[in-house]
Short mmCIF file of all heavy atoms in Angstrom, two decimals:
data_model
loop_
_atom_site.label_atom_id
_atom_site.label_comp_id
_atom_site.label_asym_id
_atom_site.label_seq_id
_atom_site.Cartn_x
_atom_site.Cartn_y
_atom_site.Cartn_z
N ALA A 241 -4.66 83.32 16.68
CA ALA A 241 -4.35 82.90 15.31
C ALA A 241 -3.16 81.93 15.29
O ALA A 241 -3.15 80.96 14.51
CB ALA A 241 -4.08 84.11 14.44
N MET A 242 -2.16 82.18 16.11
CA MET A 242 -1.01 81.26 16.20
C MET A 242 -1.46 79.90 16.71
O MET A 242 -1.04 78.87 16.18
CB MET A 242 0.07 81.83 17.12
CG MET A 242 0.90 82.95 16.52
SD MET A 242 1.93 82.45 15.13
CE MET A 242 3.30 81.66 15.98
N LYS A 243 -2.31 79.91 17.70
CA LYS A 243 -2.80 78.67 18.28
C LYS A 243 -3.53 77.84 17.22
O LYS A 243 -3.40 76.62 17.16
CB LYS A 243 -3.74 78.99 19.45
CG LYS A 243 -4.41 77.80 20.08
CD LYS A 243 -5.38 78.26 21.15
CE LYS A 243 -6.62 77.41 21.06
NZ LYS A 243 -7.73 77.95 21.80
N GLU A 244 -4.28 78.52 16.36
CA GLU A 244 -5.08 77.84 15.34
C GLU A 244 -4.34 77.69 14.01
O GLU A 244 -4.91 77.18 13.05
CB GLU A 244 -6.39 78.59 15.14
CG GLU A 244 -7.25 78.57 16.39
CD GLU A 244 -8.51 79.41 16.27
OE1 GLU A 244 -8.85 79.81 15.13
OE2 GLU A 244 -9.16 79.63 17.31
N GLY A 245 -3.07 78.14 13.95
CA GLY A 245 -2.30 78.02 12.72
C GLY A 245 -2.78 78.95 11.61
O GLY A 245 -2.55 78.67 10.43
N MET A 246 -3.43 80.04 11.97
CA MET A 246 -4.00 80.96 10.99
C MET A 246 -3.32 82.33 10.99
O MET A 246 -3.87 83.28 10.47
CB MET A 246 -5.50 81.15 11.28
CG MET A 246 -6.30 79.86 11.33
SD MET A 246 -6.38 79.02 9.76
CE MET A 246 -7.46 80.10 8.88
N PHE A 247 -2.12 82.42 11.56
CA PHE A 247 -1.49 83.73 11.73
C PHE A 247 -1.13 84.40 10.41
O PHE A 247 -1.05 85.62 10.34
CB PHE A 247 -0.26 83.63 12.63
CG PHE A 247 0.94 83.01 11.97
CD1 PHE A 247 1.91 83.82 11.40
CD2 PHE A 247 1.09 81.64 11.91
CE1 PHE A 247 3.01 83.26 10.78
CE2 PHE A 247 2.18 81.08 11.29
CZ PHE A 247 3.15 81.89 10.73
N LEU A 248 -0.92 83.63 9.35
CA LEU A 248 -0.54 84.24 8.07
C LEU A 248 -1.61 85.19 7.55
O LEU A 248 -1.32 86.12 6.81
CB LEU A 248 -0.25 83.16 7.03
CG LEU A 248 1.04 82.36 7.28
CD1 LEU A 248 1.18 81.23 6.26
CD2 LEU A 248 2.26 83.26 7.26
N GLU A 249 -2.86 84.97 7.96
CA GLU A 249 -3.93 85.87 7.55
C GLU A 249 -3.77 87.27 8.14
O GLU A 249 -4.33 88.22 7.62
CB GLU A 249 -5.29 85.29 7.94
CG GLU A 249 -5.63 84.02 7.19
CD GLU A 249 -6.95 83.41 7.60
OE1 GLU A 249 -7.75 84.08 8.29
OE2 GLU A 249 -7.18 82.26 7.23
N LEU A 250 -3.01 87.39 9.23
CA LEU A 250 -2.80 88.69 9.87
C LEU A 250 -1.58 89.43 9.32
O LEU A 250 -1.44 90.64 9.53
CB LEU A 250 -2.61 88.50 11.38
CG LEU A 250 -3.80 87.93 12.14
CD1 LEU A 250 -3.42 87.65 13.59
CD2 LEU A 250 -4.98 88.87 12.06
N ILE A 251 -0.70 88.72 8.64
CA ILE A 251 0.54 89.33 8.15
C ILE A 251 0.22 90.30 7.02
O ILE A 251 -0.60 90.03 6.15
CB ILE A 251 1.53 88.24 7.67
CG1 ILE A 251 1.81 87.22 8.78
CG2 ILE A 251 2.82 88.86 7.15
CD1 ILE A 251 2.41 87.78 10.04
N ASP A 252 0.90 91.44 7.03
CA ASP A 252 0.71 92.46 6.01
C ASP A 252 1.00 91.87 4.63
O ASP A 252 2.03 91.23 4.42
CB ASP A 252 1.65 93.64 6.29
CG ASP A 252 1.54 94.74 5.25
OD1 ASP A 252 0.41 95.05 4.83
OD2 ASP A 252 2.59 95.28 4.87
N ALA A 253 0.09 92.07 3.68
CA ALA A 253 0.19 91.49 2.34
C ALA A 253 1.46 91.93 1.61
O ALA A 253 1.97 91.19 0.77
CB ALA A 253 -1.05 91.87 1.53
N GLU A 254 1.97 93.12 1.93
CA GLU A 254 3.16 93.60 1.22
C GLU A 254 4.43 92.83 1.57
O GLU A 254 5.39 92.86 0.81
CB GLU A 254 3.37 95.09 1.49
CG GLU A 254 2.36 95.95 0.75
CD GLU A 254 2.73 97.43 0.81
OE1 GLU A 254 3.93 97.76 0.77
OE2 GLU A 254 1.79 98.23 0.88
N ILE A 255 4.45 92.16 2.72
CA ILE A 255 5.64 91.39 3.08
C ILE A 255 5.40 89.89 2.98
O ILE A 255 6.33 89.11 3.14
CB ILE A 255 6.15 91.74 4.49
CG1 ILE A 255 5.14 91.35 5.57
CG2 ILE A 255 6.56 93.20 4.57
CD1 ILE A 255 5.71 91.40 6.97
N LEU A 256 4.19 89.47 2.70
CA LEU A 256 3.84 88.05 2.66
C LEU A 256 4.14 87.49 1.28
O LEU A 256 3.31 87.50 0.38
CB LEU A 256 2.36 87.87 3.01
CG LEU A 256 1.88 86.46 3.25
CD1 LEU A 256 2.66 85.83 4.41
CD2 LEU A 256 0.40 86.44 3.57
N HIS A 257 5.39 87.04 1.10
CA HIS A 257 5.84 86.44 -0.15
C HIS A 257 6.47 85.10 0.16
O HIS A 257 7.07 84.92 1.23
CB HIS A 257 6.86 87.34 -0.85
CG HIS A 257 6.34 88.71 -1.14
ND1 HIS A 257 5.41 88.96 -2.12
CD2 HIS A 257 6.59 89.91 -0.57
CE1 HIS A 257 5.12 90.25 -2.15
NE2 HIS A 257 5.82 90.85 -1.20
N GLU A 258 6.38 84.18 -0.79
CA GLU A 258 6.90 82.84 -0.53
C GLU A 258 8.41 82.82 -0.29
O GLU A 258 8.91 81.94 0.39
CB GLU A 258 6.51 81.87 -1.63
CG GLU A 258 7.06 82.20 -2.99
CD GLU A 258 6.57 81.24 -4.05
OE1 GLU A 258 5.37 80.92 -4.06
OE2 GLU A 258 7.40 80.81 -4.86
N ASP A 259 9.13 83.82 -0.78
CA ASP A 259 10.58 83.82 -0.57
C ASP A 259 11.00 84.29 0.82
O ASP A 259 12.17 84.22 1.17
CB ASP A 259 11.30 84.63 -1.65
CG ASP A 259 10.83 86.07 -1.73
OD1 ASP A 259 9.76 86.38 -1.17
OD2 ASP A 259 11.54 86.89 -2.35
N ASN A 260 10.06 84.76 1.63
CA ASN A 260 10.43 85.15 3.00
C ASN A 260 9.53 84.50 4.05
O ASN A 260 9.42 84.99 5.16
CB ASN A 260 10.46 86.67 3.15
CG ASN A 260 9.10 87.31 2.98
OD1 ASN A 260 8.10 86.63 2.78
ND2 ASN A 260 9.05 88.62 3.07
N MET A 261 8.91 83.38 3.70
CA MET A 261 8.03 82.69 4.65
C MET A 261 8.78 82.20 5.89
O MET A 261 8.24 82.24 6.99
CB MET A 261 7.33 81.52 3.96
CG MET A 261 6.38 81.96 2.86
SD MET A 261 5.08 83.02 3.46
CE MET A 261 3.91 81.80 3.94
N GLY A 262 10.01 81.77 5.70
CA GLY A 262 10.80 81.32 6.85
C GLY A 262 11.06 82.45 7.82
O GLY A 262 10.93 82.30 9.03
N LEU A 263 11.43 83.61 7.29
CA LEU A 263 11.68 84.79 8.10
C LEU A 263 10.41 85.21 8.84
O LEU A 263 10.43 85.46 10.05
CB LEU A 263 12.19 85.94 7.23
CG LEU A 263 12.34 87.30 7.91
CD1 LEU A 263 13.35 87.24 9.03
CD2 LEU A 263 12.73 88.35 6.87
N ILE A 264 9.30 85.25 8.13
CA ILE A 264 8.02 85.62 8.75
C ILE A 264 7.65 84.63 9.85
O ILE A 264 7.24 85.02 10.94
CB ILE A 264 6.91 85.74 7.69
CG1 ILE A 264 7.15 86.96 6.82
CG2 ILE A 264 5.53 85.79 8.34
CD1 ILE A 264 6.26 87.05 5.60
N GLY A 265 7.84 83.36 9.57
CA GLY A 265 7.53 82.33 10.57
C GLY A 265 8.40 82.47 11.81
O GLY A 265 7.91 82.35 12.94
N ASP A 266 9.69 82.72 11.61
CA ASP A 266 10.61 82.89 12.75
C ASP A 266 10.23 84.10 13.59
O ASP A 266 10.22 84.05 14.82
CB ASP A 266 12.05 83.04 12.26
CG ASP A 266 12.65 81.73 11.75
OD1 ASP A 266 12.07 80.65 12.00
OD2 ASP A 266 13.72 81.80 11.10
N LEU A 267 9.92 85.21 12.92
CA LEU A 267 9.56 86.44 13.65
C LEU A 267 8.21 86.28 14.34
O LEU A 267 8.03 86.76 15.46
CB LEU A 267 9.56 87.64 12.71
CG LEU A 267 10.94 88.04 12.19
CD1 LEU A 267 10.81 89.15 11.15
CD2 LEU A 267 11.85 88.48 13.33
N ALA A 268 7.27 85.61 13.70
CA ALA A 268 5.96 85.37 14.33
C ALA A 268 6.11 84.48 15.56
O ALA A 268 5.49 84.73 16.60
CB ALA A 268 5.00 84.74 13.32
N SER A 269 6.95 83.47 15.46
CA SER A 269 7.21 82.59 16.59
C SER A 269 7.84 83.36 17.75
O SER A 269 7.45 83.20 18.91
CB SER A 269 8.12 81.45 16.15
OG SER A 269 8.46 80.63 17.24
N LEU A 270 8.80 84.22 17.42
CA LEU A 270 9.46 85.04 18.45
C LEU A 270 8.45 85.98 19.10
O LEU A 270 8.42 86.11 20.33
CB LEU A 270 10.63 85.82 17.84
CG LEU A 270 11.44 86.67 18.80
CD1 LEU A 270 12.07 85.81 19.90
CD2 LEU A 270 12.53 87.41 18.03
N ALA A 271 7.62 86.61 18.31
CA ALA A 271 6.59 87.51 18.86
C ALA A 271 5.66 86.74 19.78
O ALA A 271 5.32 87.22 20.87
CB ALA A 271 5.79 88.17 17.73
N CYS A 272 5.28 85.55 19.38
CA CYS A 272 4.38 84.72 20.20
C CYS A 272 5.02 84.40 21.55
O CYS A 272 4.35 84.46 22.59
CB CYS A 272 4.03 83.45 19.44
SG CYS A 272 2.65 82.54 20.14
N GLN A 273 6.30 84.09 21.55
CA GLN A 273 7.00 83.81 22.80
C GLN A 273 7.03 85.04 23.70
O GLN A 273 6.84 84.95 24.91
CB GLN A 273 8.42 83.34 22.52
CG GLN A 273 8.50 81.99 21.84
CD GLN A 273 9.91 81.67 21.41
OE1 GLN A 273 10.84 81.76 22.20
NE2 GLN A 273 10.09 81.32 20.15
N CYS A 274 7.25 86.21 23.09
CA CYS A 274 7.31 87.46 23.85
C CYS A 274 5.95 87.80 24.46
O CYS A 274 5.88 88.43 25.52
CB CYS A 274 7.74 88.62 22.95
SG CYS A 274 9.44 88.52 22.37
N LEU A 275 4.88 87.40 23.80
CA LEU A 275 3.53 87.76 24.22
C LEU A 275 2.89 86.74 25.16
O LEU A 275 1.69 86.84 25.46
CB LEU A 275 2.64 87.95 22.99
CG LEU A 275 3.05 89.10 22.08
CD1 LEU A 275 2.27 89.04 20.77
CD2 LEU A 275 2.89 90.43 22.76
N ALA A 276 3.66 85.79 25.64
CA ALA A 276 3.12 84.82 26.59
C ALA A 276 2.47 85.56 27.75
O ALA A 276 2.98 86.60 28.20
CB ALA A 276 4.22 83.89 27.10
N MET A 277 1.33 85.07 28.21
CA MET A 277 0.57 85.77 29.24
C MET A 277 1.31 85.85 30.57
O MET A 277 1.15 86.83 31.29
CB MET A 277 -0.79 85.12 29.44
CG MET A 277 -1.72 85.29 28.26
SD MET A 277 -2.06 87.02 27.86
CE MET A 277 -3.19 87.44 29.16
N THR A 278 2.11 84.85 30.89
CA THR A 278 2.86 84.90 32.15
C THR A 278 4.31 85.24 31.86
O THR A 278 4.90 84.76 30.89
CB THR A 278 2.78 83.56 32.91
OG1 THR A 278 3.34 82.53 32.11
CG2 THR A 278 1.35 83.22 33.29
#
Side-chain angles (χ1 to χ4, degrees):
M242 284 294 282
K243 176 184 140 194
E244 296 175 13
M246 305 294 288
F247 75 96
L248 290 175
E249 294 178 14
L250 297 174
I251 304 300
D252 179 41
E254 287 190 36
I255 65 167
L256 190 60
H257 302 288
E258 63 183 44
D259 58 345
N260 65 2
M261 295 300 273
L263 173 62
I264 290 170
D266 287 346
L267 292 174
S269 176
L270 183 60
C272 194
Q273 293 172 51
C274 293
L275 296 170
M277 292 300 285
T278 60

